[in-house]
Amino acid sequence: MPFVRIDLSNNHPDGFAQIVGDTVYEVMRTCINVPEDDKFQVITEHDSGDLVFPLSYLGIRYTADIIFIQVTLNIGRTTEMKKLFYKAVCDSLVKKLQVRPQDIIINLVEVQKENWSFGNGEMQYAPSE
């Protein structure tokens, strides 16, 4: 069950943020084995001053159109799957929305399955005892 947070500027046209969210979900389904209907996202559009980032880092220059994508998911994806995911998200957003690939920041946070509750105050994926 990935939980996705997307933070971006509110300077984009209507529907832009939704396309970003839909694209991330589509790529998660194809690249990192996320099941159908496993779409939990919080998409937040910010005033430009609320997104803090350097002008450049690791030789990559950023603009005010930066998009932060953070995915919390269960441990278990290979390095190759993660590389494929990063590239596919970037390529898809560039193609669909003509964003700069340099402005797409992706962070994966891996957790054990018992760190989720899907409701009712229960640990649905509790370790077997």
Side-chain angles (χ1 to χ4, degrees):
M1 178 264 175
F3 180 69
V4 178
R5 291 189 172 275
I6 299 170
D7 293 275
L8 66 163
S9 167
N10 59 10
N11 292 329
H12 299 288
D14 288 344
F16 184 96
Q18 187 63 48
I19 293 170
V20 173
D22 291 344
T23 300
V24 170
Y25 174 68
E26 291 166 11
V27 174
M28 288 190 316
R29 298 256 305 118
T30 59
C31 294
I32 58 173
N33 300 325
V34 170
E36 186 175 355
D37 296 328
D38 197 349
K39 185 179 183 183
F40 296 87
Q41 299 182 338
V42 174
I43 302 172
T44 307
E45 297 181 76
H46 301 271
D47 291 334
S48 59
D50 293 336
L51 296 172
V52 179
F53 56 91
L55 291 178
S56 69
Y57 183 69
L58 299 175
I60 302 168
R61 296 197 57 79
Y62 304 108
T63 72
D65 290 330
I66 198 164
I67 301 170
F68 295 102
I69 300 167
Q70 184 174 59
V71 182
T72 302
L73 69 168
N74 291 333
I75 291 174
R77 276 62 178 203
T78 66
T79 299
E80 288 308 312
M81 291 172 80
K82 294 172 191 178
K83 286 179 181 180
L84 181 63
F85 174 72
Y86 299 146
K87 177 116 176 70
V89 167
C90 188
D91 290 349
S92 295
L93 291 176
V94 167
K95 181 178 180 181
K96 290 179 182 181
L97 297 171
Q98 291 75 50
V99 297
R100 296 175 66 247
Q102 298 90 341
D103 284 331
I104 301 169
I105 306 289
I106 303 171
N107 171 238
L108 299 181
V109 179
E110 294 183 302
V111 300
Q112 299 290 339
K113 283 187 170 186
E114 66 265 18
N115 290 311
W116 299 100
S117 173
F118 294 96
N120 298 323
E122 299 174 10
M123 182 187 293
Q124 284 81 5
Y125 292 118
S128 46
E129 297 180 32

